Amino acid sequence: MTVHSFQEHFDKKIDGDVAIEPRDWMPDDYRKTLIRQISQHAHSEIVGMLPEGNWISRAPSLRRKAVLLAKVQDEAGHGLYLYSAAETLGITRDELYEQLHSGKAKYSSIFNYPTLTWADMGAIGWLVDGAAIMNQVPLCRCSYGPYARAMVRVCKEESFHQRQGYEIMLTLANGAPMQKKMAQDALDRWWWPSLMMFGPPDAESGNTEQSMRWRIKRLTNDELRQKFIDVTVEQANILGLTIPDKDLKWNEERGHYDSGAINWDEFWNVVKGNGPCNKQRLDTRKKAWADGQWVRDAAMAHAEKRKARKATAKAA
Ligand code: 3HC
């Protein structure tokens, strides 16, 4: 088969919505952009544990602590699924970690904001996991098999994450005036960074057009952002909270909400590493990696010993 016919076969599978699997031929650029997106998705899950981890020991009740613990543990699992999906494309786990720890790889800008009050746990579950679901459901139909299958499991758990966050916001919004104020303050701080999670405007997105053609993306950044706004504004109304966007208004003609301008300078500034918590997040990740070296060494030593024992038993 010539490269030309490999390409033809690949194109036919993409056009026919047939999943591309690890052993299939794929264009180098398709492989590269999947490694880029899946690894950054995985990094986001792992770094995303840190802002919420900050509140596990301060949760207001045993139930809230147990729910938050379960959620943060889920995020670790999501990271591992996604690192495994990235490894099927020929990159090693160590390379992935090295790219994160050296600052070469990105992770979602949203996790570079501080979690100042308990209400932030509600806002993150409701808005950040809500945005993640909006973005991840179409990824269940991504053309790359391992990524799409990882997303099916992730999305099931993500719905629990969003529900528990919304429940925290509902409790606070229906609580004492001070609690409702705390919930509104959290919404004020997390609304705009949550909209930025969907990426830059389509016109400035260097990857969207090709990713749509390869059916990695099924909806563009702006389309997903709009869907998220339309759904979330209604949820805020039920909470009795105000979306911090004075230009937000329903547009009957469009059948969508029109919203105010997003501060893309702030977005790119955070993506470039100048957000409120970028340094703290990476330092924490690198310390955790260094502190865990003995666990990795012990696991390797144990694996080597087991392998040697098996070999001896086989030889006997
Ligand atoms: N934070 C950091 N970088 C971002 C970003 C964000 N919110 N949005 C876009 N970027 C980067 C892109 O990575 C790209 O840089 P690169 O080419 O060096 O990778 C550049 O900005 C231009 O953006 P594009 O729109 O061209 O990039 P993509 O086509 O990759 O679209 C995306 C960006 C929509 C985030 C896409 O990568 C995607 O859908 N990724 C999978 C989902 C994901 O990673 N979500 C992150 C949150 S995970 C999460 O919230 C977990 C939950 O459990 C809490």
Side-chain angles (χ1 to χ4, degrees), residues 31 43 131 138 152 205 209 214 295:
R31 183 186 303 275
H43 296 328
V152 172
S205 161
E209 198 187 330
W214 277 328
V295 178

Side-chain angles (χ1 to χ4, degrees), residues 125-159:
W126 171 37
L127 299 173
V128 175
D129 289 76
I133 292 174
M134 202 57 87
N135 164 287
Q136 290 170 168
V137 166
L139 284 172
C140 296
R141 292 183 298 118
C142 161
S143 58
Y144 187 59
Y147 194 23
R149 291 188 289 271
M151 282 296 103
V152 172
R153 169 76 183 267
V154 165
C155 286
K156 285 197 177 97
E157 294 172 342
E158 216 65 272
S159 328

Side-chain angles (χ1 to χ4, degrees), residues 18-310:
V18 175
I20 304 297
E21 295 299 338
R23 287 208 181 93
D24 292 344
W25 182 91
M26 62 185 83
D28 289 347
D29 287 349
Y30 177 81
R31 183 186 303 275
K32 258 199 286 204
T33 207
L34 280 169
I35 289 176
R36 173 189 65 82
Q37 176 165 331
I38 299 173
S39 62
Q40 292 180 160
H41 195 163
H43 296 328
S44 303
E45 300 281 2
I46 298 299
V47 176
M49 295 164 71
L50 299 175
E52 289 171 310
N54 180 29
W55 279 88
I56 289 176
S57 57
R58 308 185 209 159
S61 71
L62 183 59
R63 175 174 172 269
R64 292 289 186 205
K65 182 201 276 272
V67 169
L68 186 58
L69 259 176
K71 177 188 189 302
V72 172
Q73 198 175 327
D74 280 350
E75 308 298 11
H78 297 174
L80 296 183
Y81 298 149
L82 289 164
Y83 282 134
S84 304
E87 283 173 301
T88 64
L89 289 155
I91 188 166
T92 68
R93 189 69 62 97
D94 282 350
E95 283 171 307
L96 291 165
Y97 286 135
E98 192 281 325
Q99 288 174 359
L100 173 63
H101 298 155
S102 63
K104 262 185 258 156
K106 295 182 170 76
Y107 58 86
S108 191
S109 48
I110 191 75
F111 297 121
N112 289 310
Y113 291 84
T115 46
L116 304 177
T117 74
W118 172 254
D120 288 37
M121 295 305 102
I124 288 179
W126 171 37
L127 299 173
V128 175
D129 289 76
I133 292 174
M134 202 57 87
N135 164 287
Q136 290 170 168
V137 166
L139 284 172
C140 296
R141 292 183 298 118
C142 161
S143 58
Y144 187 59
Y147 194 23
R149 291 188 289 271
M151 282 296 103
V152 172
R153 169 76 183 267
V154 165
C155 286
K156 285 197 177 97
E157 294 172 342
E158 216 65 272
S159 328
F160 145 65
H161 299 173
Q162 196 270 356
R163 302 298 313 164
Q164 63 86 37
Y166 193 70
E167 193 212 12
I168 291 175
M169 295 303 270
L170 200 60
T171 308
L172 293 171
N174 294 334
M178 189 278 284
Q179 287 177 309
K180 181 160 187 175
K181 192 163 166 288
M182 206 160 84
Q184 183 62 58
D185 162 62
L187 173 54
D188 292 348
R189 284 183 289 109
W190 289 93
W191 174 251
W192 293 104
S194 299
L195 299 189
M196 296 174 194
M197 283 176 68
F198 294 95
D202 294 346
E204 290 168 37
S205 161
N207 300 294
T208 291
E209 198 187 330
Q210 182 59 65
S211 289
M212 292 288 286
R213 263 210 302 279
W214 277 328
R215 297 189 185 194
I216 295 170
K217 281 185 171 181
R218 294 294 187 150
L219 290 156
T220 70
N221 298 359
D222 290 333
E223 286 168 341
L224 286 172
R225 196 179 350 262
Q226 183 65 66
K227 275 170 71 93
F228 174 73
I229 292 169
D230 290 347
V231 164
T232 312
V233 170
E234 301 307 324
Q235 293 169 349
N237 294 340
I238 296 168
L239 291 172
L241 299 178
T242 309
I243 298 280
D245 175 359
K246 59 181 175 28
D247 300 321
L248 187 77
K249 64 180 177 314
W250 179 253
N251 181 321
E252 198 50 49
E253 213 177 296
R254 286 180 62 226
H256 293 292
Y257 277 96
D258 291 338
S259 58
I262 294 174
N263 181 343
W264 291 113
D265 290 341
E266 176 187 330
F267 169 75
W268 289 116
N269 206 19
V270 174
V271 171
K272 287 194 183 95
N274 309 315
C277 299
N278 293 57
K279 184 173 175 335
Q280 180 193 350
R281 299 289 184 239
L282 263 194
D283 287 350
T284 309
R285 270 303 315 148
K286 286 188 277 192
K287 182 174 180 319
W289 178 254
D291 291 353
Q293 185 59 51
W294 70 271
V295 178
R296 292 190 295 277
D297 294 346
M300 289 310 284
H302 177 68
E304 288 305 320
K305 243 174 142 185
R306 275 187 50 173
K307 211 164 96 189
R309 258 207 309 276
K310 268 197 185 147

